[in-house]
Amino acid sequence: MTEHDLDLDLDEQQLADAAGAADFDAFFAEESATRPRQSLTLFGSTYTLPESLPLMFTLQMERVQHSSDADDVRKMLATLYGADVLDTWAEHGMTDRQLGVVLIYSAANIRRPGSCTMQRAAQLYEQQEAGKATAPNRAQRRAPKKTKKGRSSGKRS
């Protein structure tokens, strides 16, 4: 048996050992422990953002866009900041603008910690709101178009 044959046997053994059951729980736990996380302080409490955007947050965001139910917002926020934060923040006088800025800041810094300042999040929020203000609402989009009627002599040429 040559050294080359021995290397192939070892490679095949390593592949066979690796072909066992994949343990994603262990893999993701190890990976999560090494990813940086962003913290923020709000109303005297410090929150550490998750290392990546939770799928439940994304799913709840879709639901919240079409819902006026405060429980949907509570569930969405709980995935990032813990239970009851909506009520706590509301009791401290948080505005809808402030909530929007915190969400933009959080989402950006979950994806890439340190990538977005609070000032930048506020600018992005203002741009988002400006875009909403200029877009016609549903009633305006569905209203019949007014046509300009030009003066006509009634004669055809």
Side-chain angles (χ1 to χ4, degrees):
M1 184 176 267
T2 67
E3 189 176 322
H4 180 70
D5 291 336
L6 186 56
D7 286 344
L8 287 177
D9 289 341
L10 288 175
D11 288 343
E12 288 175 12
Q13 184 60 44
Q14 289 171 340
L15 286 174
D17 291 345
D23 187 349
F24 275 100
D25 292 335
F27 174 74
F28 289 143
E30 182 180 318
E31 185 183 54
S32 173
T34 62
R35 291 186 58 139
R37 291 179 170 203
Q38 184 79 30
S39 294
L40 63 96
T41 301
L42 185 60
F43 301 119
S45 295
T46 300
Y47 303 93
T48 301
L49 298 173
E51 80 285 348
S52 60
L53 205 55
L55 180 58
M56 187 55 75
F57 178 83
T58 306
L59 295 172
Q60 287 299 121
M61 272 297 280
E62 288 295 318
R63 173 177 278 161
V64 168
Q65 288 180 7
H66 307 291
S67 171
S68 58
D69 188 351
D71 284 335
D72 288 336
V73 178
R74 280 186 188 89
K75 289 175 190 173
M76 178 192 68
L77 292 176
T79 63
L80 297 184
Y81 311 102
D84 301 324
V85 294
L86 179 62
D87 296 313
T88 300
W89 294 351
E91 288 168 7
H92 281 92
M94 180 178 254
T95 65
D96 61 339
R97 178 188 179 279
Q98 291 170 335
L99 177 61
V101 171
V102 168
L103 288 175
I104 290 171
Y105 173 88
S106 298
N109 284 296
I110 288 170
R111 288 183 184 104
R112 269 192 24 229
S115 66
C116 185
T117 65
M118 292 178 282
Q119 293 80 8
R120 181 65 180 141
Q123 290 171 344
L124 291 169
Y125 178 83
E126 299 304 329
Q127 290 172 1
Q128 184 180 35
E129 288 302 300
K132 287 180 184 175
T134 59
N137 67 27
R138 186 177 185 181
Q140 290 170 327
R141 288 190 313 266
R142 294 178 182 253
K145 304 283 187 232
K146 292 181 181 176
T147 58
K148 271 191 168 179
K149 293 183 179 179
R151 294 188 155 212
S152 172
S153 64
K155 295 181 184 174
R156 291 188 173 200
S157 339

